[in-house]
Amino acid sequence: NAGVTQTPKFQVLKTGQSMTLQCAQDMNHEYMSWYRQDPGMGLRLIHYSVGAGITDQGEVPNGYNVSRSTTEDFPLRLLSAAPSQTSVYFCASSHKPDSMFSYNEQFFGPGTRLTVL
Amino acid sequence: DAKTTQPNSMESNEEEPVHLPCNHSTISGTDYIHWYRQLPSQGPEYVIHGLTSNVNNRMASLAIAEDRKSSTLILHRATLRDAAVYYCRERGNYQLIWGAGTKLIIKP
């Protein structure tokens, strides 16, 4: 299994440009999520999905769109890049989301380092 | 909102035990306590989880207070490869909440 893969590893954008960060998992996980990590901080949830066709917003969704047309793929779109979106982006997946009395290990991709000039 | 509290950083000597504390005073009685770690320039990876009882695995041990308001991750013999940021997490609104974590520095 490749686990969770992300492309690209690095990206530089100019303000106003749009792009899509790709994320794929081959573990048949239902739950996928996107996080951003700013220097010296923990991860903040952008968007998540509990299954194909179902997405919802996390803590910091503004400026980002997601879709989930298949179980495997969960792309993150930056609509009009801004310098405030300079960050490292991580995609993660788990069999299901955690709930009461239930634990599901999250698997993370290697991250995409995005710089917006 | 659910929130965890951890020291910003800790130092330890190589091959000595390390005890990383976490306060999770808002945790509900039905939610697991999770620990993950993030090595430099990598995504987070799972370390251990527990509900009420202490837990052991090949990476670490987890000691959970009786009232579940705090826990301690124990690395029995820290190596240089254990230098990372360690996150204690609890669930909030179907999403795990990430704090800033504890940066563990291992001195040779």
Side-chain angles (χ1 to χ4, degrees), chain A residues 5 27 41-42 46 52 98 116:
Chain A
T5 58
M27 296 172 282
M41 298 181 67
I46 304 171
D98 281 355
V116 183

Side-chain angles (χ1 to χ4, degrees), chain B residues 29-104:
Chain B
T30 59
D31 290 339
Y32 279 88
I33 298 156
H34 313 241
W35 283 82
Y36 282 69
R37 73 178 185 180
Q38 187 173 21
L39 301 170
S41 299
Q42 294 188 27
E45 62 179 5
Y46 165 82
V47 177
I48 201 167
H49 73 280
L51 188 61
T52 55
S53 303
N54 294 345
V55 182
N56 300 300
N57 66 20
R58 63 175 180 81
M59 290 180 70
S61 297
L62 177 60
I64 301 172
E66 196 169 332
D67 62 4
R68 295 190 3 104
K69 301 301 185 185
S70 65
S71 63
T72 301
L73 179 70
I74 302 164
L75 307 179
H76 296 285
R77 279 181 77 237
T79 70
L80 295 177
R81 288 178 293 180
D82 291 320
V85 178
Y86 286 78
Y87 296 97
C88 160
R89 304 167 56 189
E90 61 172 292
R91 188 175 67 90
N93 298 326
Y94 292 97
Q95 302 133 35
L96 291 171
I97 305 299
W98 295 85
T102 296
K103 183 175 182 178
L104 178 62

Side-chain angles (χ1 to χ4, degrees), chain A residues 30-72:
Chain A
E30 291 184 13
Y31 184 73
M32 296 185 74
S33 51
W34 275 102
Y35 295 88
R36 60 176 288 173
Q37 185 173 37
D38 300 317
M41 298 181 67
L43 280 71
R44 291 186 292 170
L45 183 67
I46 304 171
H47 286 283
Y48 65 97
S49 168
V50 297
I54 306 169
T55 63
D56 206 346
Q57 297 180 350
E59 297 174 73
V60 289
N62 292 342
Y64 307 95
N65 271 359
V66 291
S67 60
R68 184 100 177 267
S69 56
T70 67
T71 299
E72 294 78 21

